[in-house]
Amino acid sequence: MRHIVVFDLDGTLSNGEHRLHLLPKGEDRNKDAAWAAFSLAAIDDTIIVDNVELLRTLAIHYDIIILTGRGAISQDITIKWLRENYIPYDRLIMRPIGDCRQDIEFKEAMLRQIGLGEILCCFDDLKHVANHIRSLGVTCHLVTDYEFV
């Protein structure tokens, strides 16, 4: 059985700086509908070349899971974006519609479903998420640090 490498999507594989102004603020951060505009604007993201190249190289030897907090409302455009940018993956896990858990809660639950012992490492762009994943005993590489988000 091959080990699994887990990549986040937004800020890790896709550059969505053009849509950061759409991030929900305050109490809206816990409302599913507030994330729709942010998630749907992802169709215009560009790739983060070095991380995508790393993923392509790792995909030769490992199973790739893309684990994103991006809402499933954007599943079709996300799959299209991945296909159009030639990003190989074995499984895409998106936040289900109606799931408003904090990012660390959602990602921890999904990583536990995958099986922590099966995961070689993860890549994420948020420091608090990377630190939480590390607290689970999984190596997590911090690829970008958006302290202002």
Side-chain angles (χ1 to χ4, degrees):
M1 176 161 34
R2 294 176 4 145
H3 277 291
I4 296 166
V5 177
V6 178
F7 279 85
D8 176 49
L9 183 56
D10 296 317
T12 301
L13 300 174
S14 70
N15 182 344
E17 289 180 296
H18 67 94
R19 59 191 170 97
L20 290 178
H21 68 283
L22 297 172
L23 281 170
K25 308 247 185 304
E27 64 188 43
D28 287 341
R29 291 185 75 85
N30 294 327
K31 296 177 183 168
D32 197 41
W35 288 92
F38 177 75
S39 295
L40 292 171
I43 193 67
D44 295 322
D45 287 4
T46 57
I47 65 168
I48 299 175
V49 175
D50 54 338
N51 293 337
V52 170
E53 285 301 316
L54 179 60
L55 179 149
R56 290 176 180 148
T57 301
L58 289 169
I60 296 168
H61 301 287
Y62 303 100
D63 289 338
I64 303 295
I65 294 178
I66 298 174
L67 172 58
T68 179
R70 185 187 293 182
I73 190 169
S74 62
Q75 182 172 350
D76 291 342
I77 67 162
T78 300
I79 291 169
K80 179 181 181 206
W81 185 89
L82 290 165
R83 185 177 55 248
E84 288 176 350
N85 287 287
Y86 306 101
I87 299 174
Y89 63 95
D90 297 286
R91 187 172 169 202
L92 171 64
I93 302 173
M94 300 183 75
R95 183 187 299 270
I97 293 172
D99 185 337
C100 297
R101 290 179 285 179
Q102 288 186 330
D103 49 8
I104 58 173
E105 293 175 37
F106 169 70
K107 287 193 174 183
E108 178 178 344
M110 297 303 102
L111 292 171
R112 289 189 183 282
Q113 280 184 8
I114 292 165
L116 298 176
E118 303 303 316
I119 301 169
L120 178 67
C121 63
C122 297
F123 294 85
D124 206 287
D125 67 311
L126 296 175
K127 191 174 192 173
H128 72 281
V129 173
N131 286 339
H132 188 76
I133 291 170
R134 291 172 186 151
S135 78
L136 302 174
V138 176
T139 298
C140 187
H141 303 280
L142 183 63
V143 297
T144 308
D145 195 356
Y146 296 119
E147 286 298 326
F148 60 90
V149 175

